[in-house]
Amino acid sequence: MTGIHRSIVILTGAGISAESGLATFRGAGGLWMGHRVEDVATPEAFARQPEMVHAFYNARRRQLADSAIAPNAAHEALVRLEDGWAGDFLLVTQNVDDLHERAGSKRIVHMHGELRRARCTTCDRGFAWLDDLGTDTACPHCARTGSLRPDIVWFGEMPMDLERIHRALQGCDLFISIGTSGLVYPAAGFVEAAPAARTVEINLEPTSRRSMFDEHRTGPAGTLVPALVHELLQA
Ligand code: OAD
């Protein structure tokens, strides 16, 4: 990697957590009890079958509590980059797990929400939530039952903090995309929203967005991200 960069935006997807033992959405293990993620992660599915949608996210939330699940070398390298970088830095993740935070990331945006948060559709409050959710769970603020949902952005809903993300993209001169298939917008379009940036894609395999990037590195994030961070901090 050549050149001096000041402002970095990093986009991560499920692939960065794969080596921590969390299944990606569209990989071989990407189905959940025979359902495609697109058929579970929607407001319509929640309205039709709330218990099924709760069960999907409860299983994922419980998995995060498993002592075997921990940040990997890629999450840790991004913390070294954030701590050692003199310029602007923003980590945008599509992931709903908390492995970036557990590694120590601070300047982070969860554009698709967070598994370990819930939201009440009655009083509109969002809050930390570590237990299972169900249709009979009462809101700790307004006491209403049946109106809690995972604080997750479903298909057809607006991702979080898009304004802040677009401001950072506009001004950045290095954009790095890690472990995302590039199939879900608007994240898939971020590479085109950073007009002044050198763009780098890291993925286990070439993605359909490959031609949009200046540089590709093919292989596991747990190896390639620490190597790239080392280069950037040396430069
Ligand atoms: P996907 O499951 O679509 O893609 C994961 C990507 O990670 C694939 O391109 C894999 O090749 C790559 N990958 C797997 N293991 C890797 C490794 N060890 N190192 C590097 N790359 C690896 O997941 P996302 O792109 O994150 O949205 O999916 C985007 C969104 O779709 C998710 O945030 C979620 C989902 O539906 C919502 O829930 C709203």
PDB file of all heavy atoms in Angstrom, residues 55-71:
ATOM      1  N   ALA A  55     -37.242 -15.914  17.923  1.00  0.00           N
ATOM      2  CA  ALA A  55     -36.414 -17.122  18.107  1.00  0.00           C
ATOM      3  C   ALA A  55     -35.124 -17.020  17.294  1.00  0.00           C
ATOM      4  O   ALA A  55     -34.049 -17.416  17.765  1.00  0.00           O
ATOM      5  CB  ALA A  55     -37.205 -18.362  17.707  1.00  0.00           C
ATOM      6  N   PHE A  56     -35.217 -16.469  16.107  1.00  0.00           N
ATOM      7  CA  PHE A  56     -34.035 -16.293  15.248  1.00  0.00           C
ATOM      8  C   PHE A  56     -32.988 -15.409  15.949  1.00  0.00           C
ATOM      9  O   PHE A  56     -31.819 -15.759  16.053  1.00  0.00           O
ATOM     10  CB  PHE A  56     -34.472 -15.653  13.922  1.00  0.00           C
ATOM     11  CG  PHE A  56     -33.335 -15.298  12.993  1.00  0.00           C
ATOM     12  CD1 PHE A  56     -32.683 -16.285  12.268  1.00  0.00           C
ATOM     13  CD2 PHE A  56     -32.932 -13.974  12.843  1.00  0.00           C
ATOM     14  CE1 PHE A  56     -31.638 -15.961  11.412  1.00  0.00           C
ATOM     15  CE2 PHE A  56     -31.889 -13.646  11.988  1.00  0.00           C
ATOM     16  CZ  PHE A  56     -31.240 -14.638  11.269  1.00  0.00           C
ATOM     17  N   TYR A  57     -33.447 -14.265  16.463  1.00  0.00           N
ATOM     18  CA  TYR A  57     -32.498 -13.337  17.106  1.00  0.00           C
ATOM     19  C   TYR A  57     -32.106 -13.814  18.504  1.00  0.00           C
ATOM     20  O   TYR A  57     -30.977 -13.575  18.932  1.00  0.00           O
ATOM     21  CB  TYR A  57     -33.065 -11.915  17.115  1.00  0.00           C
ATOM     22  CG  TYR A  57     -33.068 -11.332  15.729  1.00  0.00           C
ATOM     23  CD1 TYR A  57     -34.241 -11.223  14.990  1.00  0.00           C
ATOM     24  CD2 TYR A  57     -31.867 -10.949  15.127  1.00  0.00           C
ATOM     25  CE1 TYR A  57     -34.227 -10.728  13.700  1.00  0.00           C
ATOM     26  CE2 TYR A  57     -31.847 -10.453  13.834  1.00  0.00           C
ATOM     27  CZ  TYR A  57     -33.030 -10.349  13.127  1.00  0.00           C
ATOM     28  OH  TYR A  57     -32.997  -9.878  11.842  1.00  0.00           O
ATOM     29  N   ASN A  58     -33.026 -14.507  19.212  1.00  0.00           N
ATOM     30  CA  ASN A  58     -32.656 -15.048  20.528  1.00  0.00           C
ATOM     31  C   ASN A  58     -31.492 -16.026  20.381  1.00  0.00           C
ATOM     32  O   ASN A  58     -30.555 -16.024  21.187  1.00  0.00           O
ATOM     33  CB  ASN A  58     -33.845 -15.763  21.175  1.00  0.00           C
ATOM     34  CG  ASN A  58     -34.911 -14.790  21.658  1.00  0.00           C
ATOM     35  OD1 ASN A  58     -34.651 -13.593  21.792  1.00  0.00           O
ATOM     36  ND2 ASN A  58     -36.114 -15.292  21.920  1.00  0.00           N
ATOM     37  N   ALA A  59     -31.560 -16.866  19.336  1.00  0.00           N
ATOM     38  CA  ALA A  59     -30.495 -17.862  19.121  1.00  0.00           C
ATOM     39  C   ALA A  59     -29.167 -17.156  18.862  1.00  0.00           C
ATOM     40  O   ALA A  59     -28.119 -17.550  19.379  1.00  0.00           O
ATOM     41  CB  ALA A  59     -30.860 -18.768  17.950  1.00  0.00           C
ATOM     42  N   ARG A  60     -29.228 -16.096  18.079  1.00  0.00           N
ATOM     43  CA  ARG A  60     -27.982 -15.378  17.769  1.00  0.00           C
ATOM     44  C   ARG A  60     -27.455 -14.628  18.996  1.00  0.00           C
ATOM     45  O   ARG A  60     -26.253 -14.532  19.209  1.00  0.00           O
ATOM     46  CB  ARG A  60     -28.228 -14.415  16.609  1.00  0.00           C
ATOM     47  CG  ARG A  60     -28.394 -15.192  15.339  1.00  0.00           C
ATOM     48  CD  ARG A  60     -28.674 -14.401  14.093  1.00  0.00           C
ATOM     49  NE  ARG A  60     -28.475 -15.320  12.987  1.00  0.00           N
ATOM     50  CZ  ARG A  60     -27.505 -15.238  12.104  1.00  0.00           C
ATOM     51  NH1 ARG A  60     -26.653 -14.244  12.160  1.00  0.00           N
ATOM     52  NH2 ARG A  60     -27.375 -16.128  11.144  1.00  0.00           N
ATOM     53  N   ARG A  61     -28.361 -14.074  19.787  1.00  0.00           N
ATOM     54  CA  ARG A  61     -27.955 -13.350  21.002  1.00  0.00           C
ATOM     55  C   ARG A  61     -27.322 -14.323  21.997  1.00  0.00           C
ATOM     56  O   ARG A  61     -26.316 -14.024  22.604  1.00  0.00           O
ATOM     57  CB  ARG A  61     -29.167 -12.638  21.607  1.00  0.00           C
ATOM     58  CG  ARG A  61     -28.788 -11.559  22.628  1.00  0.00           C
ATOM     59  CD  ARG A  61     -29.999 -10.845  23.192  1.00  0.00           C
ATOM     60  NE  ARG A  61     -30.853 -10.218  22.201  1.00  0.00           N
ATOM     61  CZ  ARG A  61     -32.018 -10.700  21.789  1.00  0.00           C
ATOM     62  NH1 ARG A  61     -32.511 -11.812  22.298  1.00  0.00           N
ATOM     63  NH2 ARG A  61     -32.732 -10.075  20.869  1.00  0.00           N
ATOM     64  N   ARG A  62     -27.934 -15.538  22.120  1.00  0.00           N
ATOM     65  CA  ARG A  62     -27.368 -16.538  23.031  1.00  0.00           C
ATOM     66  C   ARG A  62     -25.991 -16.975  22.573  1.00  0.00           C
ATOM     67  O   ARG A  62     -25.103 -17.210  23.384  1.00  0.00           O
ATOM     68  CB  ARG A  62     -28.263 -17.777  23.065  1.00  0.00           C
ATOM     69  CG  ARG A  62     -29.446 -17.613  23.947  1.00  0.00           C
ATOM     70  CD  ARG A  62     -30.180 -18.937  24.034  1.00  0.00           C
ATOM     71  NE  ARG A  62     -31.584 -18.706  24.273  1.00  0.00           N
ATOM     72  CZ  ARG A  62     -32.509 -19.633  24.174  1.00  0.00           C
ATOM     73  NH1 ARG A  62     -32.172 -20.858  23.823  1.00  0.00           N
ATOM     74  NH2 ARG A  62     -33.751 -19.348  24.421  1.00  0.00           N
ATOM     75  N   GLN A  63     -25.832 -17.102  21.260  1.00  0.00           N
ATOM     76  CA  GLN A  63     -24.528 -17.531  20.746  1.00  0.00           C
ATOM     77  C   GLN A  63     -23.436 -16.537  21.141  1.00  0.00           C
ATOM     78  O   GLN A  63     -22.310 -16.923  21.440  1.00  0.00           O
ATOM     79  CB  GLN A  63     -24.608 -17.663  19.214  1.00  0.00           C
ATOM     80  CG  GLN A  63     -23.412 -18.392  18.642  1.00  0.00           C
ATOM     81  CD  GLN A  63     -23.380 -18.387  17.119  1.00  0.00           C
ATOM     82  OE1 GLN A  63     -24.103 -17.606  16.478  1.00  0.00           O
ATOM     83  NE2 GLN A  63     -22.545 -19.233  16.550  1.00  0.00           N
ATOM     84  N   LEU A  64     -23.787 -15.247  21.162  1.00  0.00           N
ATOM     85  CA  LEU A  64     -22.799 -14.218  21.534  1.00  0.00           C
ATOM     86  C   LEU A  64     -22.342 -14.387  22.983  1.00  0.00           C
ATOM     87  O   LEU A  64     -21.244 -13.981  23.337  1.00  0.00           O
ATOM     88  CB  LEU A  64     -23.411 -12.820  21.390  1.00  0.00           C
ATOM     89  CG  LEU A  64     -23.370 -12.156  20.030  1.00  0.00           C
ATOM     90  CD1 LEU A  64     -23.808 -10.704  20.168  1.00  0.00           C
ATOM     91  CD2 LEU A  64     -21.987 -12.247  19.424  1.00  0.00           C
ATOM     92  N   ALA A  65     -23.212 -14.986  23.806  1.00  0.00           N
ATOM     93  CA  ALA A  65     -22.874 -15.169  25.222  1.00  0.00           C
ATOM     94  C   ALA A  65     -22.007 -16.403  25.441  1.00  0.00           C
ATOM     95  O   ALA A  65     -21.479 -16.611  26.537  1.00  0.00           O
ATOM     96  CB  ALA A  65     -24.156 -15.281  26.046  1.00  0.00           C
ATOM     97  N   ASP A  66     -21.859 -17.236  24.400  1.00  0.00           N
ATOM     98  CA  ASP A  66     -21.035 -18.447  24.488  1.00  0.00           C
ATOM     99  C   ASP A  66     -19.578 -18.049  24.746  1.00  0.00           C
ATOM    100  O   ASP A  66     -19.036 -17.187  24.051  1.00  0.00           O
ATOM    101  CB  ASP A  66     -21.169 -19.193  23.152  1.00  0.00           C
ATOM    102  CG  ASP A  66     -20.444 -20.529  23.158  1.00  0.00           C
ATOM    103  OD1 ASP A  66     -19.403 -20.638  23.840  1.00  0.00           O
ATOM    104  OD2 ASP A  66     -20.933 -21.441  22.480  1.00  0.00           O
ATOM    105  N   SER A  67     -18.975 -18.694  25.739  1.00  0.00           N
ATOM    106  CA  SER A  67     -17.609 -18.285  26.126  1.00  0.00           C
ATOM    107  C   SER A  67     -16.598 -18.552  25.016  1.00  0.00           C
ATOM    108  O   SER A  67     -15.496 -18.014  25.027  1.00  0.00           O
ATOM    109  CB  SER A  67     -17.193 -18.995  27.407  1.00  0.00           C
ATOM    110  OG  SER A  67     -17.260 -20.386  27.207  1.00  0.00           O
ATOM    111  N   ALA A  68     -16.976 -19.400  24.034  1.00  0.00           N
ATOM    112  CA  ALA A  68     -16.039 -19.702  22.935  1.00  0.00           C
ATOM    113  C   ALA A  68     -15.982 -18.567  21.910  1.00  0.00           C
ATOM    114  O   ALA A  68     -15.078 -18.521  21.076  1.00  0.00           O
ATOM    115  CB  ALA A  68     -16.455 -20.998  22.248  1.00  0.00           C
ATOM    116  N   ILE A  69     -16.957 -17.646  21.954  1.00  0.00           N
ATOM    117  CA  ILE A  69     -17.014 -16.574  20.950  1.00  0.00           C
ATOM    118  C   ILE A  69     -16.212 -15.369  21.439  1.00  0.00           C
ATOM    119  O   ILE A  69     -16.494 -14.803  22.494  1.00  0.00           O
ATOM    120  CB  ILE A  69     -18.481 -16.152  20.678  1.00  0.00           C
ATOM    121  CG1 ILE A  69     -19.310 -17.350  20.191  1.00  0.00           C
ATOM    122  CG2 ILE A  69     -18.544 -14.994  19.689  1.00  0.00           C
ATOM    123  CD1 ILE A  69     -18.895 -17.923  18.860  1.00  0.00           C
ATOM    124  N   ALA A  70     -15.218 -14.979  20.663  1.00  0.00           N
ATOM    125  CA  ALA A  70     -14.350 -13.861  21.066  1.00  0.00           C
ATOM    126  C   ALA A  70     -13.847 -13.151  19.816  1.00  0.00           C
ATOM    127  O   ALA A  70     -13.839 -13.734  18.729  1.00  0.00           O
ATOM    128  CB  ALA A  70     -13.175 -14.399  21.884  1.00  0.00           C
ATOM    129  N   PRO A  71     -13.415 -11.915  19.963  1.00  0.00           N
ATOM    130  CA  PRO A  71     -12.860 -11.196  18.807  1.00  0.00           C
ATOM    131  C   PRO A  71     -11.646 -11.953  18.254  1.00  0.00           C
ATOM    132  O   PRO A  71     -10.962 -12.652  19.002  1.00  0.00           O
ATOM    133  CB  PRO A  71     -12.416  -9.850  19.396  1.00  0.00           C
ATOM    134  CG  PRO A  71     -13.093  -9.733  20.703  1.00  0.00           C
ATOM    135  CD  PRO A  71     -13.396 -11.106  21.189  1.00  0.00           C
TER     136      PRO A  71
END
